[in-house]
Amino acid sequence: MGKRLVELAEIEVTRLKGVGEQKAKGLDELGIHTVLDLLMHYPRRYIDRTNEALIRELAVGEEAMVLATVKRVEARRTRQKRTMVQVDVTDGSGYLRCTFFNQPWREKQLKAGTQAVFYGKLEVFQGRKQMTNPVVDLIGDRTGKIVPIYPQSEKAALTTWELGGWVEEALRRAGELDDPVPMDVLDRFDLVSRDAALRGIHVPESGDEANVARRRLVFDELLRLQLVLVRRKRDLERTSVGIRHDLSGDLVRRFHEKLPFPLTGAQRRAIAEIEQDLAAPVPMHRLLQGDVGAGKTLVAVSALLVAVQGGHQGALMAPTEVLAEQHHLGLKALLEGFSLSSEGDLFGERPLRVELLTNRTTAAQRTKLGERLAAGEVDIVVGTHALIQDKVAFKSLGVAVIDEQHRFGVEQRAALRDKGEAVPDVLVMTATPIPRTAAMTVYGDLDVSVLDELPPGRTPITTVWARGPLEEEAAWVRVREEVAAGHQAYVVAPLIEESEKLEVRSAQETHEQLQHGELAGLRLALLHGKIPAKEKEPVMDAFRRGDIDVLVATTVIEVGVDVPNATVMVILDADRFGIAQLHQLRGRVGRGAAVSWCYLMGGGNTPDSEERLGALERTTDGFELAEVDLELRGEGTIMGTRQKGRNDLRLASLRRDKEWVAKARDVAFQLVDGGLDRYPQLEEELDVLLPEGDEDAEAAATEFLFKS
Ligand code: ADP
Ligand code: MG
């Protein structure tokens, strides 16, 4: 028996040789307090000293990494009062000048004689090879074929050499480490032992060894995360009593028969998956993913009707009042003329009742509706997400559908549980396509159904990126032509993230300009987030009726608005939106049989606009776009909120390690269902590395998704 990894979490780094108060402070800055922290501080790259680039051989424009010794340092001020530190270095083959702007500490850090690795793009300035603001790694006088380069902080001033030395000492003194993952799993995926992996990542003999080690450690990270998620899923299933819905009624069948079109294969599959969940004693917790227009509403209604035909009630919740109202109208139209058998009624039948409950419902109406819900006189209630959090008492809520909500967390589920002794089945719907493996992580405790097929007869939307003024003019001509042909259009005003006020103003200005310019003579209306709900609704109504030709709006139209007669969308400053958001916006057109267009204006201002806007021109497949999105989002561009708390996902990256997510998830199910208590070391690791369980796993999963 070797040591357990978590034992190392109890040993302070100060126990290592040479870690005094000063060094401990530096380590603290890197988040390293214990020996375990140190061993999980993995190298960010390696230099292969058998294969080093020589300064003499570097080509201009090339990204290169050179190991060199500092010869001379000089600090100055530029005319713009910026500090400039010039460091001349050599590797024996030639000289290189590294110029640092606004990094005054470099003067102290890079004293003559210091050995360091410089990583940057080679330029030539005044006939001299130079790099501007290269990445610097101090390595001290370390020898060895493969030198690990550790992430360092500027201020800590610890060399990669020092870190490597402590790591080696820690590995030596720890001795052999136990492996908590069962042998058969390791064999199945051809993974090396934990012990070999930790040694291999820190002191590899070859690049290959480092890769093999990395693979094992990535697997461990993903497995731990999946274990937390799967365990949570199973716990919830075990501790809640659900409703076994009766599938024998004929309401759902009648509903499907009355539709003017057949269900798509994907809809039938999703409905079957949901019905299986509904009939089971365990409460359903399922995510329905489907691109805009894929027909999620019918799937949702089918689920609600299963509840209703068995004598229970259904609730449909939307993120905004406008959407709730729209769903309410839609459901009423779909369910018009349906009746239920009823004992209390003379004819044994009563109409199916669908009601709306939002903040605009008056207090008196609310009381009345509450009474009817409690008495079971309302079958389906449509409202905002607040519906389940409010003190609404149902007679028997059987199925809750939540539209356009990406997270339906533990808290909300607890609220649902309090509604009665039996927990209603929950279906969460989203039109945000997420690649499968990402969904497994972020929604690790949900089951997922996917509508990956659009109803037939849709004319695909033609998307045009208007790259110049001529194309822009053509777009406005198209808007006028479509309106002349009796259709309608959306214009999306520039997104201004910094301030809603500015965004509103920009929408107002856009409206003004178009009304007096490109779209003069057409009936324009304006919609933005600062317009009170009371005034918004008449505008939406008028647009739905066709009394407005062009709706100029901010992204308030992003989700769910459904006006099939709208056939053109113009998105201004399209470059400011992300792929996912553009795709969502575009989904507002192409909802009817008529040919539709989407024009993306502006762009070319960011380096990847070609890829982003180009991808939208090329495809309307949301899942394909989601993959492109993921590919494009490089490290650091996404969230400023990274590095919050402790994160167990240090090595794993969704881009590089996609295939391992599914493998880890399979294993997690196998281990949890076989009894996780048979693996006390794994359980213990979850406690130590993902201590707060739920939220931490959630945060880690989300971060993982956004990290490159
Ligand atoms: P989503 O909510 O997924 O964006 P909706 O449920 O609003 O999509 O459906 C979009 C449109 O497609 C609606 O007008 C709906 O009537 C229509 N629709 C749904 N399913 C089908 C189908 N199987 N065949 C034809 N049209 C369908
Ligand atoms: Mg919808």
mmCIF file of all heavy atoms in Angstrom, residues 489-519:
data_model
loop_
_atom_site.group_PDB
_atom_site.id
_atom_site.type_symbol
_atom_site.label_atom_id
_atom_site.label_comp_id
_atom_site.label_asym_id
_atom_site.label_seq_id
_atom_site.Cartn_x
_atom_site.Cartn_y
_atom_site.Cartn_z
ATOM 1 N N ALA A 489 -40.307 42.801 -41.190
ATOM 2 C CA ALA A 489 -38.861 42.725 -40.970
ATOM 3 C C ALA A 489 -38.484 43.128 -39.554
ATOM 4 O O ALA A 489 -39.221 43.846 -38.877
ATOM 5 C CB ALA A 489 -38.144 43.641 -41.965
ATOM 6 N N TYR A 490 -37.323 42.615 -39.122
ATOM 7 C CA TYR A 490 -36.724 43.044 -37.861
ATOM 8 C C TYR A 490 -35.418 43.765 -38.179
ATOM 9 O O TYR A 490 -34.681 43.360 -39.075
ATOM 10 C CB TYR A 490 -36.316 41.863 -36.993
ATOM 11 C CG TYR A 490 -37.430 40.979 -36.510
ATOM 12 C CD1 TYR A 490 -37.657 39.749 -37.124
ATOM 13 C CD2 TYR A 490 -38.207 41.337 -35.411
ATOM 14 C CE1 TYR A 490 -38.651 38.900 -36.649
ATOM 15 C CE2 TYR A 490 -39.199 40.498 -34.942
ATOM 16 C CZ TYR A 490 -39.418 39.275 -35.563
ATOM 17 O OH TYR A 490 -40.394 38.450 -35.104
ATOM 18 N N VAL A 491 -35.132 44.801 -37.408
ATOM 19 C CA VAL A 491 -33.799 45.388 -37.454
ATOM 20 C C VAL A 491 -33.260 45.339 -36.030
ATOM 21 O O VAL A 491 -33.906 45.831 -35.100
ATOM 22 C CB VAL A 491 -33.832 46.846 -37.954
ATOM 23 C CG1 VAL A 491 -32.430 47.464 -37.872
ATOM 24 C CG2 VAL A 491 -34.355 46.911 -39.384
ATOM 25 N N VAL A 492 -32.130 44.700 -35.853
ATOM 26 C CA VAL A 492 -31.555 44.599 -34.515
ATOM 27 C C VAL A 492 -30.500 45.681 -34.347
ATOM 28 O O VAL A 492 -29.523 45.739 -35.092
ATOM 29 C CB VAL A 492 -30.932 43.211 -34.280
ATOM 30 C CG1 VAL A 492 -30.372 43.120 -32.864
ATOM 31 C CG2 VAL A 492 -31.961 42.127 -34.527
ATOM 32 N N ALA A 493 -30.720 46.554 -33.374
ATOM 33 C CA ALA A 493 -29.817 47.672 -33.135
ATOM 34 C C ALA A 493 -28.534 47.180 -32.468
ATOM 35 O O ALA A 493 -28.530 46.130 -31.835
ATOM 36 C CB ALA A 493 -30.510 48.704 -32.254
ATOM 37 N N PRO A 494 -27.462 47.957 -32.607
ATOM 38 C CA PRO A 494 -26.176 47.509 -32.051
ATOM 39 C C PRO A 494 -26.244 47.170 -30.572
ATOM 40 O O PRO A 494 -26.902 47.857 -29.789
ATOM 41 C CB PRO A 494 -25.264 48.711 -32.282
ATOM 42 C CG PRO A 494 -25.851 49.407 -33.445
ATOM 43 C CD PRO A 494 -27.338 49.216 -33.339
ATOM 44 N N LEU A 495 -25.554 46.123 -30.227
ATOM 45 C CA LEU A 495 -25.458 45.692 -28.844
ATOM 46 C C LEU A 495 -24.428 46.568 -28.145
ATOM 47 O O LEU A 495 -23.332 46.763 -28.641
ATOM 48 C CB LEU A 495 -24.983 44.238 -28.826
ATOM 49 C CG LEU A 495 -24.653 43.602 -27.493
ATOM 50 C CD1 LEU A 495 -25.924 43.255 -26.753
ATOM 51 C CD2 LEU A 495 -23.816 42.363 -27.709
ATOM 52 N N ILE A 496 -24.805 47.118 -27.013
ATOM 53 C CA ILE A 496 -23.838 47.893 -26.253
ATOM 54 C C ILE A 496 -23.803 47.326 -24.857
ATOM 55 O O ILE A 496 -24.681 47.565 -24.040
ATOM 56 C CB ILE A 496 -24.194 49.396 -26.267
ATOM 57 C CG1 ILE A 496 -24.094 49.881 -27.715
ATOM 58 C CG2 ILE A 496 -23.241 50.177 -25.372
ATOM 59 C CD1 ILE A 496 -24.630 51.237 -27.985
ATOM 60 N N GLU A 497 -22.761 46.527 -24.623
ATOM 61 C CA GLU A 497 -22.758 45.766 -23.390
ATOM 62 C C GLU A 497 -22.518 46.613 -22.162
ATOM 63 O O GLU A 497 -23.006 46.301 -21.088
ATOM 64 C CB GLU A 497 -21.693 44.673 -23.459
ATOM 65 C CG GLU A 497 -22.224 43.414 -24.115
ATOM 66 C CD GLU A 497 -21.163 42.342 -24.196
ATOM 67 O OE1 GLU A 497 -20.391 42.237 -23.238
ATOM 68 O OE2 GLU A 497 -21.122 41.645 -25.210
ATOM 69 N N GLU A 498 -21.781 47.697 -22.346
ATOM 70 C CA GLU A 498 -21.365 48.457 -21.176
ATOM 71 C C GLU A 498 -22.553 49.104 -20.474
ATOM 72 O O GLU A 498 -22.549 49.293 -19.279
ATOM 73 C CB GLU A 498 -20.365 49.555 -21.549
ATOM 74 C CG GLU A 498 -19.110 49.056 -22.240
ATOM 75 C CD GLU A 498 -19.308 48.846 -23.726
ATOM 76 O OE1 GLU A 498 -19.660 49.808 -24.419
ATOM 77 O OE2 GLU A 498 -19.138 47.704 -24.196
ATOM 78 N N SER A 499 -23.562 49.488 -21.246
ATOM 79 C CA SER A 499 -24.615 50.252 -20.595
ATOM 80 C C SER A 499 -25.938 50.084 -21.326
ATOM 81 O O SER A 499 -26.014 50.222 -22.543
ATOM 82 C CB SER A 499 -24.204 51.728 -20.561
ATOM 83 O OG SER A 499 -25.307 52.566 -20.828
ATOM 84 N N GLU A 500 -26.950 49.762 -20.552
ATOM 85 C CA GLU A 500 -28.260 49.597 -21.164
ATOM 86 C C GLU A 500 -28.761 50.934 -21.694
ATOM 87 O O GLU A 500 -29.436 51.002 -22.713
ATOM 88 C CB GLU A 500 -29.253 49.012 -20.154
ATOM 89 C CG GLU A 500 -30.500 48.501 -20.858
ATOM 90 C CD GLU A 500 -31.580 48.023 -19.912
ATOM 91 O OE1 GLU A 500 -31.324 47.966 -18.695
ATOM 92 O OE2 GLU A 500 -32.683 47.724 -20.398
ATOM 93 N N LYS A 501 -28.387 51.998 -20.974
ATOM 94 C CA LYS A 501 -28.832 53.320 -21.373
ATOM 95 C C LYS A 501 -28.323 53.652 -22.780
ATOM 96 O O LYS A 501 -29.069 54.121 -23.633
ATOM 97 C CB LYS A 501 -28.307 54.347 -20.361
ATOM 98 C CG LYS A 501 -29.279 55.464 -20.078
ATOM 99 C CD LYS A 501 -28.945 56.159 -18.774
ATOM 100 C CE LYS A 501 -28.522 57.592 -19.020
ATOM 101 N NZ LYS A 501 -27.877 58.208 -17.848
ATOM 102 N N LEU A 502 -27.036 53.380 -22.979
ATOM 103 C CA LEU A 502 -26.453 53.648 -24.299
ATOM 104 C C LEU A 502 -27.104 52.770 -25.365
ATOM 105 O O LEU A 502 -27.318 53.201 -26.494
ATOM 106 C CB LEU A 502 -24.950 53.385 -24.278
ATOM 107 C CG LEU A 502 -24.106 54.391 -23.509
ATOM 108 C CD1 LEU A 502 -22.640 54.010 -23.561
ATOM 109 C CD2 LEU A 502 -24.313 55.789 -24.105
ATOM 110 N N GLU A 503 -27.414 51.538 -24.964
ATOM 111 C CA GLU A 503 -28.008 50.628 -25.919
ATOM 112 C C GLU A 503 -29.390 51.121 -26.343
ATOM 113 O O GLU A 503 -29.747 51.092 -27.517
ATOM 114 C CB GLU A 503 -28.112 49.232 -25.310
ATOM 115 C CG GLU A 503 -28.676 48.228 -26.269
ATOM 116 C CD GLU A 503 -28.353 46.803 -25.843
ATOM 117 O OE1 GLU A 503 -27.189 46.425 -25.949
ATOM 118 O OE2 GLU A 503 -29.263 46.109 -25.400
ATOM 119 N N VAL A 504 -30.137 51.592 -25.358
ATOM 120 C CA VAL A 504 -31.455 52.134 -25.659
ATOM 121 C C VAL A 504 -31.318 53.317 -26.602
ATOM 122 O O VAL A 504 -32.028 53.443 -27.590
ATOM 123 C CB VAL A 504 -32.179 52.542 -24.356
ATOM 124 C CG1 VAL A 504 -33.365 53.430 -24.657
ATOM 125 C CG2 VAL A 504 -32.587 51.296 -23.586
ATOM 126 N N ARG A 505 -30.334 54.180 -26.284
ATOM 127 C CA ARG A 505 -30.166 55.349 -27.132
ATOM 128 C C ARG A 505 -29.805 54.930 -28.566
ATOM 129 O O ARG A 505 -30.310 55.471 -29.534
ATOM 130 C CB ARG A 505 -29.106 56.297 -26.564
ATOM 131 C CG ARG A 505 -29.174 57.605 -27.311
ATOM 132 C CD ARG A 505 -28.232 58.703 -26.855
ATOM 133 N NE ARG A 505 -27.910 58.719 -25.457
ATOM 134 C CZ ARG A 505 -26.672 59.005 -25.023
ATOM 135 N NH1 ARG A 505 -25.707 59.240 -25.874
ATOM 136 N NH2 ARG A 505 -26.438 59.048 -23.737
ATOM 137 N N SER A 506 -28.955 53.931 -28.656
ATOM 138 C CA SER A 506 -28.552 53.508 -29.993
ATOM 139 C C SER A 506 -29.747 52.934 -30.757
ATOM 140 O O SER A 506 -29.891 53.141 -31.955
ATOM 141 C CB SER A 506 -27.380 52.525 -29.907
ATOM 142 O OG SER A 506 -27.727 51.251 -30.357
ATOM 143 N N ALA A 507 -30.628 52.252 -30.056
ATOM 144 C CA ALA A 507 -31.826 51.725 -30.716
ATOM 145 C C ALA A 507 -32.718 52.875 -31.174
ATOM 146 O O ALA A 507 -33.254 52.878 -32.277
ATOM 147 C CB ALA A 507 -32.584 50.795 -29.777
ATOM 148 N N GLN A 508 -32.849 53.885 -30.297
ATOM 149 C CA GLN A 508 -33.669 55.046 -30.658
ATOM 150 C C GLN A 508 -33.101 55.750 -31.890
ATOM 151 O O GLN A 508 -33.845 56.120 -32.806
ATOM 152 C CB GLN A 508 -33.744 56.027 -29.483
ATOM 153 C CG GLN A 508 -34.666 55.536 -28.378
ATOM 154 C CD GLN A 508 -34.436 56.279 -27.061
ATOM 155 O OE1 GLN A 508 -33.367 56.871 -26.855
ATOM 156 N NE2 GLN A 508 -35.421 56.232 -26.181
ATOM 157 N N GLU A 509 -31.782 55.907 -31.888
ATOM 158 C CA GLU A 509 -31.157 56.584 -33.025
ATOM 159 C C GLU A 509 -31.325 55.786 -34.314
ATOM 160 O O GLU A 509 -31.605 56.342 -35.370
ATOM 161 C CB GLU A 509 -29.671 56.803 -32.747
ATOM 162 C CG GLU A 509 -29.433 57.987 -31.825
ATOM 163 C CD GLU A 509 -28.004 58.026 -31.295
ATOM 164 O OE1 GLU A 509 -27.151 57.260 -31.815
ATOM 165 O OE2 GLU A 509 -27.764 58.803 -30.361
ATOM 166 N N THR A 510 -31.144 54.484 -34.184
ATOM 167 C CA THR A 510 -31.314 53.633 -35.357
ATOM 168 C C THR A 510 -32.721 53.790 -35.921
ATOM 169 O O THR A 510 -32.917 53.956 -37.125
ATOM 170 C CB THR A 510 -31.089 52.151 -34.969
ATOM 171 O OG1 THR A 510 -29.803 52.036 -34.390
ATOM 172 C CG2 THR A 510 -31.190 51.255 -36.175
ATOM 173 N N HIS A 511 -33.680 53.759 -35.026
ATOM 174 C CA HIS A 511 -35.076 53.902 -35.417
ATOM 175 C C HIS A 511 -35.295 55.212 -36.161
ATOM 176 O O HIS A 511 -35.867 55.263 -37.253
ATOM 177 C CB HIS A 511 -35.941 53.820 -34.159
ATOM 178 C CG HIS A 511 -37.396 54.050 -34.405
ATOM 179 N ND1 HIS A 511 -38.021 55.218 -34.070
ATOM 180 C CD2 HIS A 511 -38.338 53.257 -34.962
ATOM 181 C CE1 HIS A 511 -39.302 55.142 -34.415
ATOM 182 N NE2 HIS A 511 -39.523 53.968 -34.951
ATOM 183 N N GLU A 512 -34.782 56.266 -35.548
ATOM 184 C CA GLU A 512 -34.906 57.605 -36.107
ATOM 185 C C GLU A 512 -34.297 57.677 -37.508
ATOM 186 O O GLU A 512 -34.925 58.128 -38.467
ATOM 187 C CB GLU A 512 -34.174 58.566 -35.155
ATOM 188 C CG GLU A 512 -34.446 60.022 -35.382
ATOM 189 C CD GLU A 512 -35.837 60.416 -34.899
ATOM 190 O OE1 GLU A 512 -36.549 59.543 -34.337
ATOM 191 O OE2 GLU A 512 -36.195 61.564 -35.092
ATOM 192 N N GLN A 513 -33.055 57.186 -37.601
ATOM 193 C CA GLN A 513 -32.332 57.267 -38.876
ATOM 194 C C GLN A 513 -33.041 56.494 -39.976
ATOM 195 O O GLN A 513 -33.185 56.973 -41.098
ATOM 196 C CB GLN A 513 -30.924 56.695 -38.714
ATOM 197 C CG GLN A 513 -29.930 57.703 -38.206
ATOM 198 C CD GLN A 513 -28.648 57.024 -37.756
ATOM 199 O OE1 GLN A 513 -28.409 55.865 -38.105
ATOM 200 N NE2 GLN A 513 -27.850 57.734 -36.985
ATOM 201 N N LEU A 514 -33.460 55.289 -39.651
ATOM 202 C CA LEU A 514 -34.096 54.464 -40.675
ATOM 203 C C LEU A 514 -35.421 55.069 -41.108
ATOM 204 O O LEU A 514 -35.770 55.088 -42.283
ATOM 205 C CB LEU A 514 -34.315 53.036 -40.160
ATOM 206 C CG LEU A 514 -33.044 52.215 -39.950
ATOM 207 C CD1 LEU A 514 -33.366 50.892 -39.270
ATOM 208 C CD2 LEU A 514 -32.333 51.967 -41.279
ATOM 209 N N GLN A 515 -36.142 55.590 -40.127
ATOM 210 C CA GLN A 515 -37.451 56.161 -40.426
ATOM 211 C C GLN A 515 -37.335 57.331 -41.407
ATOM 212 O O GLN A 515 -38.187 57.544 -42.253
ATOM 213 C CB GLN A 515 -38.120 56.617 -39.121
ATOM 214 C CG GLN A 515 -39.529 57.143 -39.297
ATOM 215 C CD GLN A 515 -40.535 56.037 -39.619
ATOM 216 O OE1 GLN A 515 -41.054 55.370 -38.737
ATOM 217 N NE2 GLN A 515 -40.822 55.813 -40.899
ATOM 218 N N HIS A 516 -36.249 58.089 -41.266
ATOM 219 C CA HIS A 516 -36.069 59.233 -42.164
ATOM 220 C C HIS A 516 -35.132 58.926 -43.307
ATOM 221 O O HIS A 516 -34.918 59.742 -44.173
ATOM 222 C CB HIS A 516 -35.551 60.444 -41.373
ATOM 223 C CG HIS A 516 -36.565 60.922 -40.372
ATOM 224 N ND1 HIS A 516 -36.408 60.731 -39.013
ATOM 225 C CD2 HIS A 516 -37.756 61.522 -40.533
ATOM 226 C CE1 HIS A 516 -37.455 61.210 -38.389
ATOM 227 N NE2 HIS A 516 -38.300 61.693 -39.281
ATOM 228 N N GLY A 517 -34.560 57.760 -43.313
ATOM 229 C CA GLY A 517 -33.577 57.435 -44.352
ATOM 230 C C GLY A 517 -33.989 56.205 -45.129
ATOM 231 O O GLY A 517 -35.007 56.197 -45.825
ATOM 232 N N GLU A 518 -33.230 55.138 -44.939
ATOM 233 C CA GLU A 518 -33.389 53.931 -45.751
ATOM 234 C C GLU A 518 -34.802 53.377 -45.781
ATOM 235 O O GLU A 518 -35.223 52.803 -46.775
ATOM 236 C CB GLU A 518 -32.441 52.821 -45.260
ATOM 237 C CG GLU A 518 -30.972 53.030 -45.595
ATOM 238 C CD GLU A 518 -30.246 53.844 -44.536
ATOM 239 O OE1 GLU A 518 -30.919 54.488 -43.694
ATOM 240 O OE2 GLU A 518 -29.009 53.852 -44.560
ATOM 241 N N LEU A 519 -35.518 53.505 -44.668
ATOM 242 C CA LEU A 519 -36.841 52.873 -44.632
ATOM 243 C C LEU A 519 -37.969 53.894 -44.536
ATOM 244 O O LEU A 519 -39.047 53.614 -44.003
ATOM 245 C CB LEU A 519 -36.915 51.877 -43.465
ATOM 246 C CG LEU A 519 -35.852 50.761 -43.510
ATOM 247 C CD1 LEU A 519 -36.031 49.818 -42.321
ATOM 248 C CD2 LEU A 519 -35.914 49.971 -44.814
#
